[in-house]
Amino acid sequence: MSFNNKIQYLFKALLTSCFVVFVFACNPTKHLKPDELFLQNSTIKIDAQKVDKDELKSYLKQKPNRKIFGIFRYHLGIFNAFNKKGVLNFRQIGEAPVVYDSLLTAKSATQLGLYLKNKSYFDNNVTYTTKIHKNKVKVKYTIKTGEPYIVKWIDYKIEAPNLRPIVVMKHYRSFIKKNKPLDMDVLENERQRIRDVLRDEGYFYFTKDYVKFSIDTTIGNKEVNVYIQIENKKNSNDSTVTDLLHQKSKVAEVNVYLSHDFINKNIYNFDTTSYNGLLIAHDYKLIYKPKIINHAVNIKPNELYSLEDQQATYKHFSELGLFRTVNIQYDKQNVSGSSDSIQPPILITNIFLTPQKIKSTSIEATGTNSGGNLGIKGGIVYLHKNLFHSGERLTVRLNGGLEVQQLINQPQKEQLIFGVFNTFEFGPEVNLEIPRFLLPISFEKFSKNLNPKTSFNYILNYQNRPEYERNLTQFSFGYFWNAKNKYKKHFLNPFTISLIKIHLTEQFKTRIEQENNPFIISSFTDHLISASNYTYIYNNQTTNKTRNFKFFRFNTEFAGNTLWLSDVMLNTPKNEKGGFEYFHIQYAQYMKFDFDYRYYNQAPFSALVSRIAFGIGRPYGNLNVLPFEKSYFGGGANGIRAWQARTLGPGSLPDSLIKAQFVNQIGELKIEGNLEYRFNITKLFKGAIFVDAGNIWITRPDELRPNAEIRLDKFWQDVAIGTGVGLRLDFGFFLFRFDLAAKLKDPALLNPNEFNLQWKKPTLNLGIGYPF
């Protein structure tokens, strides 16, 4: 059986399995007892559009079986299909039918009412009705919210005169807003905000228990006045003298203790070192420069306590990656004075650091997925986290890898090496990361909150393919840092130089010469790239898996301009092709811009992910083509999955020419959009349904590749569309992906505008990790 026939067989088997599951899902009461009712549906009807229905549904104590696209109970169908005597128990895979419970329905109605009261709907009324047909029941919750109570006025009642100006000055950050509904969750957030504001100003002993709210509902018209009270006592029974007057706390000392074992050792016997007023105590030879420890500590002696400084100190020590645990404690210093006077509290700050292991050697082995080409990669890794005693991280890797790549000019069976693989890679990589900017300016001048770093990277790589051998030498130098917004990151590489030398086999060289295409010939010659690039990344993903988030990446790159300018100024002679050379290699000159935007709409057991990507590269000056590594390609496991990698486009290049040309299809411009619905089948198995669209193009007409250039009047004609289904095995630390896709609109056909689902010729993509 040929490979294509196997793919068709697999596709048909998958459709058959889905049909069987659908049939069983149509009989949800199969495993119910005679006196049990199947909860078919739970709906909420509410008369207020401003209340989030999805939030209300989360308070239901009993929910119906999950549906895909709100129609198909896939998980219930799995349960019914396989949960039989003598068959493997699939209770952990499928989802048992939900049996209606009247007590849980009543509790759900009560919870909905409490939730609405917390959201200012104090006059709400929640009722429910049930509709029974045979042994199925539908529950309908009807909610009349009434009018919400609106905040009309906000005022402060602060007993301590020293606190009032601070709190009032920061009122613009308040979560409570006039002319907005009164929300109990907002009030709780406001208590924590006021606590943080005052602790940032030095009030170490202030807690949110001092903050109370008084709500005046007597003004009528569903309006309330909110009075924020800050008391001198936590409660009426508290008679502690220090609570009678809120005072700022001053830091007298800052001590740093380093030890592998604080339990069995006496910190007063540690050796000590002082640096800029910071006491560093250690029970072993100090392997860190005091300067780097002092730089990580935001808490300074003889300054007021600040919560922000405390949090920044935790953050900076964590980012250094040198310490397993960081613990900051405060002791109150005894101050001599009259017993009748209240002395301002003085703090001693003690920072306890437990070091990590500095040096390590490990062996790594991972699966790879490069443009849809699967492989394995491994190597020996040496890591030194403190090379020059200031947190410099040296990583030395000896990498090796095997990959199955699509061959350019020969059948797969004739060129297999290492069993199933046809590509071999090997080479070392050295990376040095310094936790500061290397500039002719003191790194103390830069904000520590940016977490600035400097990186040096050197790579040697040898690749052996049946068509050619490639040697890569690359060196790069750059900076990366965080923005004040924790979701933003910046990467700037002022200098990256790459030297690629390619040795073609005689057979492959002959075929390229026969093709007589300057674009292809230039793509497979030695080339030199001297580039600068900048990347900006925004990612507001959090640990909350049900929170929607966005990802955006923008990248720009310029190459060859510095070399070209120096050659022009020095009147360097050109070669016979009209270009400048270094090391007898004509260097590339181009500019590239690309971005990738993704939106993740998350739900407890599913997600809808949308993505749009755009990229353009334009060669000019010294070389009229983009280097092969910098060109764009379509298709593959992470792109438009109905096409194999580098077999789509460019543009609406006829199918006859695509098959005749033996090289990978590449272009200078790429536009791609994806929509994927992901859902849980079990804890291990995940499913997906997706649609991909887009293509690649060249930016200038090419006689040898007609219709490959981008033109507005034929843009829709050039767009390729594919659709398919996916199965993923999620092992937590590793995800293996099977995506089966079919062409829906093929721009290479005689009628590129025709929609025709080619489900008999699907493409199977194997991938590591999610496609995006």
Side-chain angles (χ1 to χ4, degrees), residues 36 66 71 83 262 288 367 436 501 513 608:
E36 290 180 333
R66 285 176 282 167
I71 301 173
N83 189 39
F262 286 108
Y288 316 103
R436 56 191 175 276
K501 296 186 73 68
E513 292 173 350
L608 181 64

Side-chain angles (χ1 to χ4, degrees), residues 16-27 71-74 77-78:
T16 303
S17 300
C18 291
F19 177 75
V20 171
V21 171
F22 174 77
V23 170
F24 280 102
C26 293
N27 183 21
I71 301 173
F72 178 35
R73 292 189 178 91
Y74 179 82
I78 289 286

